[in-house]
């Protein structure tokens, strides 16, 4: 993780403030920073999203490719995660420096999505045992100011919401050989349902209290942190069961913002990094 | 790609541009608050981000410090989703290392490194979407980022690519034009003095045509300079308004 050096006085200040439910930027212990979400940022991909949480900036691109299903799950497609901690965030990530953090985050994402209900993998199957859609979810970490896991999960959820997979038909001719036909209409595609995709809430223990959405300075003062992944109905899919209240609120607001952005339609002005 | 004409009889290219016309350029400085300098540029569908850290103390071995000037360190990385086919590794492959080396050579020529001896300046470039002209977009973004960081430079570094089709020189190639296999030239220019920071071409081109291709690239680079100058002035104007000057 990108490191920041704090003096003892600053640490004491942060810890004492948290005990009184007052953080350095004036938030309460369970408040998130302002989140900005924008989808369809990169046009080469099947779906993409950019999320900015304070100074933490994440870009996720999803590419759908055809491949063969896994042997133990012949009727389902699957997701592959790759996290790239770019040197933009901090010079320590140059070369192979960001690989450790990247693999840790990718492994956490695999664990979260490892259950049957997060994403409907059966809809990604084209023909059992032969063809299926593989979704390559690539996360690019551009700037790091604490609370990486939450932001990454929000970005992955938004990118999966934005993903458009082309509709294919399997044609079988007389000899029995199958041919895959892509539909001619570029807008004829299937969308994934992201209702059950969980969001992660990270709780950092500072002194005797816990805070949600810690900045880099607060993470430096915290003794331990707990990641909980919560779905929109409050079901906890991973880790231990605290922080359910915050998780549900996060889901509701994210879903409403994504639907509002979608309803703006194709005439929406795309801002990306230029705004 | 047989049958795809790169230049029609009326003089229009695949995307409707004229031979010497640039793609639409939009840029912004100061994208990230945590880095010393940062910039984002869009040239048509090519999107690049550049971030500068420095000048700071040399990281790693102190033995690499140069006694009379700063060390410029560049890394080129392209996102796995940037190209049509998914890339496996964002950086560390040969092409990225070569691009990093070229960027370093370009900026060592432009940055006044004698003002910061024994220190290091890091320039990290990230390509988010590649649609041709990635080297040029990276150099232009890096110039803006270095200016945003306040590192003193001799002049802007403006880059553009150029090609040659049907006896006409084309400026600012897109991916379709690059993939067609004709000669491609990449030029990085310091516009005020007209000095070339980097010139690269690896294809066969008759020497009689070299002059016209070079001229097209230089003219396009000067056009890029006008645009980047406008972006910098706009950024300074916005910053001074916020400071209340």
């Amino acid at each position: 993780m990108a490191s920041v050096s704090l003096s003892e006085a600053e640490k004491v200040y942060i810890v004492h403030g948290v005990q009184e439910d007052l953080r350095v930027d004036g938030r309460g212990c369970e408040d998130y920073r302002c989140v900005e979400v924008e989808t369809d940022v990169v046009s080469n991909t099947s779906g993409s999203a950019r999320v900015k949480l304070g100074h933490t900036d994440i870009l996720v691109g999803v590419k759908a490719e055809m491949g063969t299903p896994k042997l133990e799950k012949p009727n389902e497609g699957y997701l592959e995660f790759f996290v790239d901690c770019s040197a933009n965030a901090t010079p320590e990530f140059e070369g192979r420096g960001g690989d450790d953090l990247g693999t840790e985050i990718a492994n956490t994402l695999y664990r979260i999505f490892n259950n049957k209900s997060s994403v409907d993998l059966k809809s990604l199957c084209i023909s059992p045992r032969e063809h299926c859609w593989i979704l390559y979810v690539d996360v690019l970490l551009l700037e790091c100011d604490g609370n990486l896991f939450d932001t990454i999960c929000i970005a992955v959820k938004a990118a999966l919401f934005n993903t458009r997979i082309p509709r294919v038909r399997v044609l079988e001719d007389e000899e029995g050989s199958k041919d895959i036909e892509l539909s001619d209409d570029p807008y004829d595609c299937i969308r994934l349902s992201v209702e059950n995709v969980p969001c992660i809430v990270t709780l950092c223990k500072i002194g005797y209290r816990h805070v949600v959405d810690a900045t880099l300075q607060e993470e430096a003062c915290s003794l331990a942190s707990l990641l909980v992944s919560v779905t929109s109905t409050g079901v906890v899919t991973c880790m231990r069961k605290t922080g359910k209240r915050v998780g549900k609120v996060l889901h509701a607001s994210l879903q409403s913002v994504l639907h509002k952005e979608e309803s703006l339609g194709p005439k929406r002005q795309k801002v990306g990094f230029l705004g | 790609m047989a049958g795809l004409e790169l230049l029609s009889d009326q003089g229009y290219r695949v995307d409707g541009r004229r031979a010497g016309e640039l793609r639409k350029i939009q840029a912004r400085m100061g994208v990230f608050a945590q880095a010393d300098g940062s910039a984002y540029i869009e040239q048509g569908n090519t999107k690049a981000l550049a971030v500068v850290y420095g000048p700071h103390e040399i990281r790693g071995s102190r033995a690499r410090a140069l006694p009379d000037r700063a060390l410029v360190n560049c890394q080129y990385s392209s996102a796995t989703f940037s190209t049509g086919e998914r890339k496996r590794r964002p950086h560390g492959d040969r092409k990225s290392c070569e691009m990093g080396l070229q960027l370093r050579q370009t900026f060592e020529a432009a940055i006044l490194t004698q003002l910061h001896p024994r220190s290091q300046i890091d320039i990290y470039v990230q390509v988010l979407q590649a649609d041709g002209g990635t080297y040029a977009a990276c150099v232009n973004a890096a110039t803006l980022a270095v200016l945003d960081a306040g590192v003193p430079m001799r002049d802007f570094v403006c880059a553009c690519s150029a090609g040659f089709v049907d006896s006409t020189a084309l400026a600012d190639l897109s991916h379709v034009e690059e993939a067609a296999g004709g000669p491609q030239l990449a030029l990085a220019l310091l516009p005020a003095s007209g000095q070339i920071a980097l010139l690269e071409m690896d294809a066969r081109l008759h020497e009689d045509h070299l002059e016209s291709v070079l001229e097209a690239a230089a003219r396009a680079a000067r056009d890029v300079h006008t645009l980047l100058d406008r972006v910098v002035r706009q950024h300074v104007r916005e910053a001074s308004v916020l400071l209340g000057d």
Side-chain angles (χ1 to χ4, degrees):
Chain A
M1 206 75 83
S3 57
V4 66
S5 37
L6 284 184
S7 67
E8 281 307 313
E10 285 177 304
K11 283 188 187 162
V12 165
Y13 182 69
I14 291 176
V15 172
H16 284 189
V18 166
Q19 309 306 308
E20 313 286 325
D21 194 22
L22 193 62
R23 291 155 79 171
V24 174
D25 44 9
R27 291 181 283 157
C29 283
E30 288 187 7
D31 293 335
Y32 268 87
R33 286 170 284 183
C34 183
V35 185
E36 293 172 26
V37 178
E38 188 180 351
T39 56
D40 207 17
V41 189
V42 179
S43 45
N44 276 4
T45 53
S46 310
S48 60
R50 180 187 174 217
V51 175
K52 235 172 115 61
L53 180 71
H55 282 311
T56 304
D57 205 333
I58 309 280
L59 180 62
V60 172
V62 179
K63 269 184 157 348
E65 283 181 17
M66 246 191 278
T68 40
K70 290 187 178 159
L71 286 170
E72 62 269 14
K73 296 199 171 92
N75 295 328
E76 297 177 349
Y78 55 96
L79 275 73
E80 289 273 353
F81 293 98
F82 176 71
V83 178
D84 177 24
C85 298
S86 112
N88 287 18
T90 161
E92 290 152 11
F93 289 160
E94 189 187 343
R96 306 204 84 105
D99 284 356
D100 292 336
L101 182 62
T103 24
E104 185 195 330
I105 299 177
N107 288 340
T108 313
L109 286 171
Y110 274 118
R111 274 170 75 180
I112 290 168
F113 281 84
N114 199 15
N115 53 52
K116 283 190 277 293
S117 56
S118 298
V119 173
D120 183 17
L121 295 173
K122 291 210 166 27
S123 64
L124 296 177
C125 180
I126 302 170
S127 54
R129 279 186 302 279
E130 286 174 9
H131 299 107
C132 70
W133 285 112
I134 307 175
L135 293 181
Y136 289 101
V137 181
D138 298 313
V139 179
L140 182 59
L141 186 72
L142 290 170
E143 214 186 351
C144 174
D145 189 27
N147 206 18
L148 284 178
F149 287 93
D150 296 25
T151 325
I152 289 176
C153 224
I154 294 175
V156 168
K157 181 165 178 162
L160 287 173
F161 178 79
N162 182 240
T163 304
R164 279 153 177 76
I165 303 174
R167 220 181 277 277
V168 290
R169 286 186 309 143
V170 182
L171 301 168
E172 197 165 326
D173 55 5
E174 305 84 45
E175 290 107 48
S177 60
K178 293 187 180 159
D179 205 16
I180 306 236
E181 186 191 305
L182 217 63
S183 82
D184 287 330
D185 181 5
Y187 293 107
D188 181 22
C189 34
I190 52 176
R191 304 280 302 272
L192 284 177
S193 156
V194 292
E195 290 300 322
N196 290 325
V197 171
C199 274
I200 300 184
V201 178
T202 309
L203 297 148
C204 292
K205 184 173 187 300
I206 297 181
Y208 294 109
R209 298 195 63 150
H210 63 269
V211 293
V212 166
D213 189 19
T215 62
L216 216 51
Q217 287 86 357
E218 287 165 352
E219 278 181 2
C221 304
S222 77
L223 305 161
S225 61
L226 182 71
L227 266 85
V228 185
S229 117
V230 188
T231 64
S232 55
T233 48
V235 172
V236 176
T237 62
C238 172
M239 314 291 173
R240 251 184 304 129
K241 208 175 143 160
T242 47
K244 195 166 75 169
R245 180 175 55 210
V246 178
K248 283 177 83 162
V249 169
L250 179 62
H251 269 286
S253 49
L254 177 64
Q255 204 66 33
S256 67
V257 165
L258 283 173
H259 280 295
K260 211 188 301 177
E261 192 195 25
E262 173 123 346
S263 66
L264 289 173
K267 290 194 208 54
R268 158 174 81 93
Q269 185 190 29
K270 298 199 175 161
V271 174
F273 288 91
L274 290 167
Chain B
M1 284 286 179
L4 181 70
E5 349 172 74
L6 293 177
L7 195 65
S8 75
D9 298 324
Q10 292 82 27
Y12 290 108
R13 290 153 77 173
V14 179
D15 48 7
R17 286 184 284 152
R18 287 264 173 207
E21 206 178 316
L22 289 176
R23 291 175 288 184
K24 180 176 181 191
I25 296 184
Q26 288 177 291
R28 184 157 166 262
M29 292 167 67
V31 181
F32 297 133
Q34 286 193 324
D36 291 331
S38 55
Y40 170 75
I41 197 168
E42 271 184 30
Q43 265 183 256
N45 279 333
T46 301
K47 299 180 176 153
L49 262 176
V51 165
V52 169
Y53 284 98
H56 57 80
E57 223 182 299
I58 301 248
R59 273 180 309 112
S61 70
R62 297 267 177 276
R64 289 194 304 145
L66 299 164
D68 57 341
R69 51 199 167 89
L71 194 69
V72 177
N73 173 36
C74 291
Q75 183 183 271
Y76 170 90
S77 163
S78 62
T80 45
F81 46 76
S82 59
T83 48
E85 285 272 317
R86 182 175 178 262
K87 269 187 69 166
R88 292 195 146 271
R89 296 185 61 196
H91 52 259
D93 56 322
R94 208 172 303 176
K95 180 166 170 288
S96 306
C97 288
E98 192 193 341
M99 280 284 225
L101 187 67
Q102 287 180 347
L103 285 168
R104 183 161 70 84
Q105 288 169 343
T106 313
F107 282 94
E108 269 177 359
I111 296 179
L112 296 170
T113 47
Q114 301 86 340
L115 296 177
H116 300 283
R118 307 194 137 270
S119 60
Q120 182 176 338
I121 299 173
D122 295 316
I123 303 178
Y124 300 123
V125 181
Q126 181 88 31
V127 172
L128 301 177
Q129 202 173 299
D131 186 34
T134 44
Y135 170 74
C138 290
V139 167
N140 295 333
T143 301
L144 289 177
V146 170
L147 288 172
D148 190 42
V151 176
M153 284 215 289
R154 205 159 274 132
D155 192 0
F156 276 77
V157 186
C158 303
C160 195
S161 56
F164 193 75
V165 161
D166 287 348
S167 335
T168 326
L170 303 176
D172 197 9
L173 304 172
S174 67
H175 179 69
V176 168
E177 289 160 348
E178 280 181 0
Q184 297 162 35
L185 186 117
L187 174 76
L189 191 70
L190 275 69
S193 49
Q195 291 174 333
I196 296 178
L198 187 125
L199 173 64
E200 199 230 357
M201 185 179 85
D202 41 21
R204 284 193 323 167
L205 181 68
H206 198 285
E207 57 173 346
D208 293 345
H209 305 309
L210 182 61
E211 192 69 45
S212 62
V213 177
L214 205 51
E215 185 51 46
R219 205 175 320 125
R222 291 207 168 81
D223 292 339
V224 170
H225 168 67
T226 324
L227 278 154
L228 293 185
D229 189 69
R230 203 182 301 161
V231 168
V232 174
R233 282 175 201 274
Q234 177 67 26
H235 179 75
V236 171
R237 206 172 300 135
E238 282 173 8
S240 59
V241 160
L242 290 171
L243 287 170
D245 288 334

